[in-house]
PDB file of all heavy atoms in Angstrom:
ATOM      1  N   VAL A  11       2.908  15.459  13.751  1.00 96.00           N
ATOM      2  CA  VAL A  11       2.016  14.337  13.523  1.00 96.00           C
ATOM      3  C   VAL A  11       2.324  13.662  12.184  1.00 96.00           C
ATOM      4  O   VAL A  11       2.468  12.438  12.095  1.00 96.00           O
ATOM      5  CB  VAL A  11       0.539  14.809  13.573  1.00 96.00           C
ATOM      6  CG1 VAL A  11      -0.403  13.686  13.198  1.00 96.00           C
ATOM      7  CG2 VAL A  11       0.223  15.359  14.950  1.00 96.00           C
ATOM      8  N   LYS A  35      12.247  22.276   5.130  1.00 97.00           N
ATOM      9  CA  LYS A  35      11.917  21.086   5.925  1.00 97.00           C
ATOM     10  C   LYS A  35      12.041  19.827   5.051  1.00 97.00           C
ATOM     11  O   LYS A  35      12.614  18.823   5.485  1.00 97.00           O
ATOM     12  CB  LYS A  35      10.467  21.232   6.436  1.00 97.00           C
ATOM     13  CG  LYS A  35      10.132  20.258   7.534  1.00 97.00           C
ATOM     14  CD  LYS A  35       8.669  20.284   7.878  1.00 97.00           C
ATOM     15  CE  LYS A  35       8.287  21.392   8.828  1.00 97.00           C
ATOM     16  NZ  LYS A  35       6.840  21.363   9.146  1.00 97.00           N
ATOM     17  N   SER A  42      17.809  12.978   5.954  1.00 98.00           N
ATOM     18  CA  SER A  42      17.620  12.155   7.168  1.00 98.00           C
ATOM     19  C   SER A  42      17.787  12.930   8.462  1.00 98.00           C
ATOM     20  O   SER A  42      18.185  12.375   9.473  1.00 98.00           O
ATOM     21  CB  SER A  42      18.597  10.963   7.180  1.00 98.00           C
ATOM     22  OG  SER A  42      18.448  10.204   6.025  1.00 98.00           O
ATOM     23  N   GLY A  50      14.004   9.196  18.985  1.00 96.00           N
ATOM     24  CA  GLY A  50      13.884   8.018  18.111  1.00 96.00           C
ATOM     25  C   GLY A  50      13.569   8.331  16.662  1.00 96.00           C
ATOM     26  O   GLY A  50      13.554   7.444  15.816  1.00 96.00           O
ATOM     27  N   LYS A  57      17.442   5.292   8.663  1.00 98.00           N
ATOM     28  CA  LYS A  57      17.243   3.924   8.173  1.00 98.00           C
ATOM     29  C   LYS A  57      16.343   3.894   6.927  1.00 98.00           C
ATOM     30  O   LYS A  57      16.536   3.070   6.038  1.00 98.00           O
ATOM     31  CB  LYS A  57      16.576   3.122   9.308  1.00 98.00           C
ATOM     32  CG  LYS A  57      16.866   1.659   9.276  1.00 98.00           C
ATOM     33  CD  LYS A  57      16.402   1.026  10.571  1.00 98.00           C
ATOM     34  CE  LYS A  57      15.409  -0.066  10.276  1.00 98.00           C
ATOM     35  NZ  LYS A  57      14.714  -0.557  11.457  1.00 98.00           N
ATOM     36  N   CYS A  82      -2.469  15.778   7.611  1.00 97.00           N
ATOM     37  CA  CYS A  82      -1.912  15.922   8.963  1.00 97.00           C
ATOM     38  C   CYS A  82      -1.499  17.356   9.261  1.00 97.00           C
ATOM     39  O   CYS A  82      -0.607  17.568  10.089  1.00 97.00           O
ATOM     40  CB  CYS A  82      -0.693  15.021   9.126  1.00 97.00           C
ATOM     41  SG  CYS A  82      -1.016  13.273   8.907  1.00 97.00           S
ATOM     42  N   GLN A  88      -8.107  30.771  16.534  1.00 89.00           N
ATOM     43  CA  GLN A  88      -8.243  32.212  16.345  1.00 89.00           C
ATOM     44  C   GLN A  88      -8.155  32.884  17.716  1.00 89.00           C
ATOM     45  O   GLN A  88      -8.161  32.220  18.739  1.00 89.00           O
ATOM     46  CB  GLN A  88      -9.600  32.523  15.712  1.00 89.00           C
ATOM     47  CG  GLN A  88      -9.704  31.982  14.293  1.00 89.00           C
ATOM     48  CD  GLN A  88     -11.130  31.985  13.768  1.00 89.00           C
ATOM     49  OE1 GLN A  88     -12.052  32.376  14.461  1.00 89.00           O
ATOM     50  NE2 GLN A  88     -11.298  31.535  12.557  1.00 89.00           N
ATOM     51  N   THR A  96      -8.100  27.459   7.999  1.00 95.00           N
ATOM     52  CA  THR A  96      -7.448  27.935   6.762  1.00 95.00           C
ATOM     53  C   THR A  96      -6.489  26.898   6.177  1.00 95.00           C
ATOM     54  O   THR A  96      -6.576  26.555   5.003  1.00 95.00           O
ATOM     55  CB  THR A  96      -6.662  29.249   7.036  1.00 95.00           C
ATOM     56  OG1 THR A  96      -7.507  30.076   7.804  1.00 95.00           O
ATOM     57  CG2 THR A  96      -6.255  29.935   5.752  1.00 95.00           C
ATOM     58  N   ILE A  98      -6.013  23.615   6.823  1.00 97.00           N
ATOM     59  CA  ILE A  98      -6.535  22.302   6.422  1.00 97.00           C
ATOM     60  C   ILE A  98      -7.393  22.435   5.148  1.00 97.00           C
ATOM     61  O   ILE A  98      -7.369  21.554   4.288  1.00 97.00           O
ATOM     62  CB  ILE A  98      -7.291  21.586   7.576  1.00 97.00           C
ATOM     63  CG1 ILE A  98      -7.554  20.149   7.137  1.00 97.00           C
ATOM     64  CG2 ILE A  98      -8.550  22.263   8.011  1.00 97.00           C
ATOM     65  CD1 ILE A  98      -7.831  19.194   8.242  1.00 97.00           C
ATOM     66  N   GLU A 113      -6.213   8.062 -11.279  1.00 85.00           N
ATOM     67  CA  GLU A 113      -7.001   6.935 -11.782  1.00 85.00           C
ATOM     68  C   GLU A 113      -7.243   5.992 -10.606  1.00 85.00           C
ATOM     69  O   GLU A 113      -6.353   5.789  -9.798  1.00 85.00           O
ATOM     70  CB  GLU A 113      -6.190   6.167 -12.843  1.00 85.00           C
ATOM     71  CG  GLU A 113      -5.718   6.991 -14.025  1.00 85.00           C
ATOM     72  CD  GLU A 113      -6.801   7.169 -15.063  1.00 85.00           C
ATOM     73  OE1 GLU A 113      -7.632   6.261 -15.177  1.00 85.00           O
ATOM     74  OE2 GLU A 113      -6.813   8.210 -15.734  1.00 85.00           O
ATOM     75  N   SER A 141     -12.118  18.086  -6.519  1.00 97.00           N
ATOM     76  CA  SER A 141     -11.694  16.923  -7.316  1.00 97.00           C
ATOM     77  C   SER A 141     -12.664  16.649  -8.474  1.00 97.00           C
ATOM     78  O   SER A 141     -12.317  15.955  -9.421  1.00 97.00           O
ATOM     79  CB  SER A 141     -11.610  15.672  -6.434  1.00 97.00           C
ATOM     80  OG  SER A 141     -12.893  15.324  -5.953  1.00 97.00           O
ATOM     81  N   LYS A 143     -15.032  14.721  -8.070  1.00 96.00           N
ATOM     82  CA  LYS A 143     -15.341  13.287  -7.909  1.00 96.00           C
ATOM     83  C   LYS A 143     -16.266  13.075  -6.720  1.00 96.00           C
ATOM     84  O   LYS A 143     -16.528  13.996  -5.950  1.00 96.00           O
ATOM     85  CB  LYS A 143     -14.033  12.514  -7.720  1.00 96.00           C
ATOM     86  CG  LYS A 143     -13.144  12.602  -8.952  1.00 96.00           C
ATOM     87  CD  LYS A 143     -12.016  11.624  -8.919  1.00 96.00           C
ATOM     88  CE  LYS A 143     -11.398  11.541 -10.318  1.00 96.00           C
ATOM     89  NZ  LYS A 143     -10.289  10.627 -10.384  1.00 96.00           N
ATOM     90  N   PHE A 149     -13.608   7.956  -4.587  1.00 95.00           N
ATOM     91  CA  PHE A 149     -12.644   7.922  -3.456  1.00 95.00           C
ATOM     92  C   PHE A 149     -13.431   7.693  -2.183  1.00 95.00           C
ATOM     93  O   PHE A 149     -14.660   7.702  -2.183  1.00 95.00           O
ATOM     94  CB  PHE A 149     -11.841   9.227  -3.389  1.00 95.00           C
ATOM     95  CG  PHE A 149     -12.660  10.414  -2.947  1.00 95.00           C
ATOM     96  CD1 PHE A 149     -12.739  10.782  -1.599  1.00 95.00           C
ATOM     97  CD2 PHE A 149     -13.362  11.189  -3.882  1.00 95.00           C
ATOM     98  CE1 PHE A 149     -13.505  11.880  -1.197  1.00 95.00           C
ATOM     99  CE2 PHE A 149     -14.140  12.270  -3.484  1.00 95.00           C
ATOM    100  CZ  PHE A 149     -14.194  12.614  -2.134  1.00 95.00           C
ATOM    101  N   ILE A 173      -6.868   2.453  18.342  1.00 98.00           N
ATOM    102  CA  ILE A 173      -6.934   3.075  17.023  1.00 98.00           C
ATOM    103  C   ILE A 173      -8.397   3.421  16.785  1.00 98.00           C
ATOM    104  O   ILE A 173      -9.276   2.535  16.859  1.00 98.00           O
ATOM    105  CB  ILE A 173      -6.412   2.114  15.938  1.00 98.00           C
ATOM    106  CG1 ILE A 173      -4.891   1.930  16.121  1.00 98.00           C
ATOM    107  CG2 ILE A 173      -6.729   2.630  14.533  1.00 98.00           C
ATOM    108  CD1 ILE A 173      -4.302   0.741  15.404  1.00 98.00           C
ATOM    109  N   ASP A 184     -12.542   0.745   5.750  1.00 94.00           N
ATOM    110  CA  ASP A 184     -12.018  -0.621   5.566  1.00 94.00           C
ATOM    111  C   ASP A 184     -10.520  -0.655   5.276  1.00 94.00           C
ATOM    112  O   ASP A 184      -9.784  -1.440   5.859  1.00 94.00           O
ATOM    113  CB  ASP A 184     -12.754  -1.322   4.391  1.00 94.00           C
ATOM    114  CG  ASP A 184     -14.080  -1.923   4.855  1.00 94.00           C
ATOM    115  OD1 ASP A 184     -14.311  -1.978   6.083  1.00 94.00           O
ATOM    116  OD2 ASP A 184     -14.890  -2.310   3.991  1.00 94.00           O
ATOM    117  N   ILE A 229      -5.185  24.760  46.905  1.00 98.00           N
ATOM    118  CA  ILE A 229      -5.825  24.700  48.228  1.00 98.00           C
ATOM    119  C   ILE A 229      -4.847  24.091  49.242  1.00 98.00           C
ATOM    120  O   ILE A 229      -4.678  24.605  50.351  1.00 98.00           O
ATOM    121  CB  ILE A 229      -7.144  23.874  48.169  1.00 98.00           C
ATOM    122  CG1 ILE A 229      -8.126  24.517  47.181  1.00 98.00           C
ATOM    123  CG2 ILE A 229      -7.775  23.749  49.543  1.00 98.00           C
ATOM    124  CD1 ILE A 229      -9.338  23.646  46.826  1.00 98.00           C
ATOM    125  N   SER A 245      -4.459   8.198  43.749  1.00 97.00           N
ATOM    126  CA  SER A 245      -4.223   7.337  42.581  1.00 97.00           C
ATOM    127  C   SER A 245      -4.175   5.858  42.965  1.00 97.00           C
ATOM    128  O   SER A 245      -4.168   4.998  42.087  1.00 97.00           O
ATOM    129  CB  SER A 245      -2.962   7.771  41.852  1.00 97.00           C
ATOM    130  OG  SER A 245      -1.865   7.635  42.700  1.00 97.00           O
ATOM    131  N   HIS A 253      -2.197   8.749  36.437  1.00 97.00           N
ATOM    132  CA  HIS A 253      -1.740   9.585  35.327  1.00 97.00           C
ATOM    133  C   HIS A 253      -2.382  10.970  35.320  1.00 97.00           C
ATOM    134  O   HIS A 253      -3.530  11.149  35.694  1.00 97.00           O
ATOM    135  CB  HIS A 253      -2.028   8.897  33.986  1.00 97.00           C
ATOM    136  CG  HIS A 253      -1.419   7.538  33.916  1.00 97.00           C
ATOM    137  ND1 HIS A 253      -0.062   7.355  33.902  1.00 97.00           N
ATOM    138  CD2 HIS A 253      -1.972   6.301  33.923  1.00 97.00           C
ATOM    139  CE1 HIS A 253       0.196   6.057  33.871  1.00 97.00           C
ATOM    140  NE2 HIS A 253      -0.938   5.405  33.884  1.00 97.00           N
ATOM    141  N   PHE A 254      -1.595  11.951  34.879  1.00 98.00           N
ATOM    142  CA  PHE A 254      -2.064  13.342  34.749  1.00 98.00           C
ATOM    143  C   PHE A 254      -2.565  13.913  36.077  1.00 98.00           C
ATOM    144  O   PHE A 254      -3.539  14.668  36.108  1.00 98.00           O
ATOM    145  CB  PHE A 254      -3.106  13.463  33.611  1.00 98.00           C
ATOM    146  CG  PHE A 254      -2.397  13.532  32.284  1.00 98.00           C
ATOM    147  CD1 PHE A 254      -1.774  12.424  31.752  1.00 98.00           C
ATOM    148  CD2 PHE A 254      -2.323  14.730  31.599  1.00 98.00           C
ATOM    149  CE1 PHE A 254      -1.065  12.501  30.557  1.00 98.00           C
ATOM    150  CE2 PHE A 254      -1.625  14.813  30.403  1.00 98.00           C
ATOM    151  CZ  PHE A 254      -0.984  13.694  29.890  1.00 98.00           C
ATOM    152  N   LEU A 255      -1.875  13.553  37.145  1.00 98.00           N
ATOM    153  CA  LEU A 255      -2.169  14.150  38.439  1.00 98.00           C
ATOM    154  C   LEU A 255      -0.910  14.840  38.980  1.00 98.00           C
ATOM    155  O   LEU A 255      -0.750  14.959  40.188  1.00 98.00           O
ATOM    156  CB  LEU A 255      -2.670  13.095  39.425  1.00 98.00           C
ATOM    157  CG  LEU A 255      -4.091  12.574  39.192  1.00 98.00           C
ATOM    158  CD1 LEU A 255      -4.462  11.524  40.232  1.00 98.00           C
ATOM    159  CD2 LEU A 255      -5.115  13.718  39.241  1.00 98.00           C
ATOM    160  N   ALA A 257       0.757  18.001  39.804  1.00 98.00           N
ATOM    161  CA  ALA A 257       0.438  19.427  39.946  1.00 98.00           C
ATOM    162  C   ALA A 257       1.640  20.267  39.530  1.00 98.00           C
ATOM    163  O   ALA A 257       2.789  19.807  39.563  1.00 98.00           O
ATOM    164  CB  ALA A 257       0.072  19.713  41.390  1.00 98.00           C
ATOM    165  N   THR A 270      -8.913  22.607  24.117  1.00 97.00           N
ATOM    166  CA  THR A 270      -9.890  22.976  25.147  1.00 97.00           C
ATOM    167  C   THR A 270     -10.621  24.263  24.748  1.00 97.00           C
ATOM    168  O   THR A 270     -11.853  24.357  24.826  1.00 97.00           O
ATOM    169  CB  THR A 270      -9.195  23.141  26.522  1.00 97.00           C
ATOM    170  OG1 THR A 270      -8.339  22.027  26.743  1.00 97.00           O
ATOM    171  CG2 THR A 270     -10.207  23.210  27.663  1.00 97.00           C
ATOM    172  N   GLU A 342       5.983  37.789  32.818  1.00 98.00           N
ATOM    173  CA  GLU A 342       5.575  38.382  34.107  1.00 98.00           C
ATOM    174  C   GLU A 342       6.816  38.831  34.902  1.00 98.00           C
ATOM    175  O   GLU A 342       6.809  39.910  35.519  1.00 98.00           O
ATOM    176  CB  GLU A 342       4.757  37.348  34.884  1.00 98.00           C
ATOM    177  CG  GLU A 342       4.261  37.816  36.246  1.00 98.00           C
ATOM    178  CD  GLU A 342       3.309  39.028  36.201  1.00 98.00           C
ATOM    179  OE1 GLU A 342       2.845  39.414  35.119  1.00 98.00           O
ATOM    180  OE2 GLU A 342       3.082  39.599  37.291  1.00 98.00           O
ATOM    181  N   ILE A 369      15.967  39.019  27.239  1.00 98.00           N
ATOM    182  CA  ILE A 369      16.578  38.222  28.307  1.00 98.00           C
ATOM    183  C   ILE A 369      17.972  37.771  27.877  1.00 98.00           C
ATOM    184  O   ILE A 369      18.347  37.904  26.712  1.00 98.00           O
ATOM    185  CB  ILE A 369      15.708  36.979  28.637  1.00 98.00           C
ATOM    186  CG1 ILE A 369      15.598  36.038  27.429  1.00 98.00           C
ATOM    187  CG2 ILE A 369      14.308  37.385  29.113  1.00 98.00           C
ATOM    188  CD1 ILE A 369      14.905  34.702  27.746  1.00 98.00           C
ATOM    189  N   GLU A 376      24.575  25.450  34.838  1.00 97.00           N
ATOM    190  CA  GLU A 376      25.542  26.059  35.772  1.00 97.00           C
ATOM    191  C   GLU A 376      25.715  27.537  35.453  1.00 97.00           C
ATOM    192  O   GLU A 376      25.662  28.390  36.341  1.00 97.00           O
ATOM    193  CB  GLU A 376      26.927  25.380  35.689  1.00 97.00           C
ATOM    194  CG  GLU A 376      26.988  24.010  36.337  1.00 97.00           C
ATOM    195  CD  GLU A 376      26.369  22.909  35.475  1.00 97.00           C
ATOM    196  OE1 GLU A 376      26.067  23.182  34.295  1.00 97.00           O
ATOM    197  OE2 GLU A 376      26.145  21.802  36.001  1.00 97.00           O
ATOM    198  N   PHE A 394      18.077  18.977  35.877  1.00 98.00           N
ATOM    199  CA  PHE A 394      17.842  20.007  36.899  1.00 98.00           C
ATOM    200  C   PHE A 394      17.675  19.396  38.295  1.00 98.00           C
ATOM    201  O   PHE A 394      17.598  20.132  39.269  1.00 98.00           O
ATOM    202  CB  PHE A 394      16.607  20.864  36.535  1.00 98.00           C
ATOM    203  CG  PHE A 394      16.740  21.588  35.210  1.00 98.00           C
ATOM    204  CD1 PHE A 394      15.598  21.901  34.459  1.00 98.00           C
ATOM    205  CD2 PHE A 394      17.975  21.958  34.712  1.00 98.00           C
ATOM    206  CE1 PHE A 394      15.711  22.555  33.239  1.00 98.00           C
ATOM    207  CE2 PHE A 394      18.099  22.599  33.484  1.00 98.00           C
ATOM    208  CZ  PHE A 394      16.969  22.902  32.756  1.00 98.00           C
ATOM    209  N   TYR A 400      22.134  24.430  43.211  1.00 95.00           N
ATOM    210  CA  TYR A 400      21.351  25.556  43.756  1.00 95.00           C
ATOM    211  C   TYR A 400      21.879  26.069  45.092  1.00 95.00           C
ATOM    212  O   TYR A 400      21.171  26.802  45.770  1.00 95.00           O
ATOM    213  CB  TYR A 400      19.868  25.122  43.891  1.00 95.00           C
ATOM    214  CG  TYR A 400      19.338  24.495  42.618  1.00 95.00           C
ATOM    215  CD1 TYR A 400      19.156  23.120  42.533  1.00 95.00           C
ATOM    216  CD2 TYR A 400      19.066  25.269  41.502  1.00 95.00           C
ATOM    217  CE1 TYR A 400      18.704  22.531  41.356  1.00 95.00           C
ATOM    218  CE2 TYR A 400      18.602  24.690  40.321  1.00 95.00           C
ATOM    219  CZ  TYR A 400      18.424  23.312  40.269  1.00 95.00           C
ATOM    220  OH  TYR A 400      17.981  22.734  39.109  1.00 95.00           O
ATOM    221  N   LYS A 403      21.142  29.592  46.683  1.00 95.00           N
ATOM    222  CA  LYS A 403      20.096  30.252  45.862  1.00 95.00           C
ATOM    223  C   LYS A 403      18.725  29.955  46.464  1.00 95.00           C
ATOM    224  O   LYS A 403      18.534  28.956  47.156  1.00 95.00           O
ATOM    225  CB  LYS A 403      20.082  29.702  44.423  1.00 95.00           C
ATOM    226  CG  LYS A 403      21.425  29.492  43.793  1.00 95.00           C
ATOM    227  CD  LYS A 403      22.032  30.770  43.291  1.00 95.00           C
ATOM    228  CE  LYS A 403      23.438  30.524  42.787  1.00 95.00           C
ATOM    229  NZ  LYS A 403      24.188  31.751  42.511  1.00 95.00           N
ATOM    230  N   VAL A 411      10.501  18.530  40.711  1.00 96.00           N
ATOM    231  CA  VAL A 411      11.773  17.989  40.277  1.00 96.00           C
ATOM    232  C   VAL A 411      12.415  17.179  41.402  1.00 96.00           C
ATOM    233  O   VAL A 411      13.037  16.150  41.175  1.00 96.00           O
ATOM    234  CB  VAL A 411      12.711  19.138  39.841  1.00 96.00           C
ATOM    235  CG1 VAL A 411      14.112  18.647  39.571  1.00 96.00           C
ATOM    236  CG2 VAL A 411      12.162  19.830  38.614  1.00 96.00           C
TER     237      VAL A 411
END
Side-chain angles (χ1 to χ4, degrees):
V11 175
K35 194 188 278 180
S42 304
K57 207 168 122 191
C82 299
Q88 294 167 359
T96 315
I98 190 160
E113 303 278 329
S141 65
K143 296 193 166 179
F149 70 92
I173 292 164
D184 277 349
I229 300 168
S245 62
H253 304 293
F254 279 71
L255 286 180
T270 313
E342 180 61 11
I369 62 173
E376 286 78 10
F394 300 152
Y400 310 105
K403 318 281 175 191
V411 172

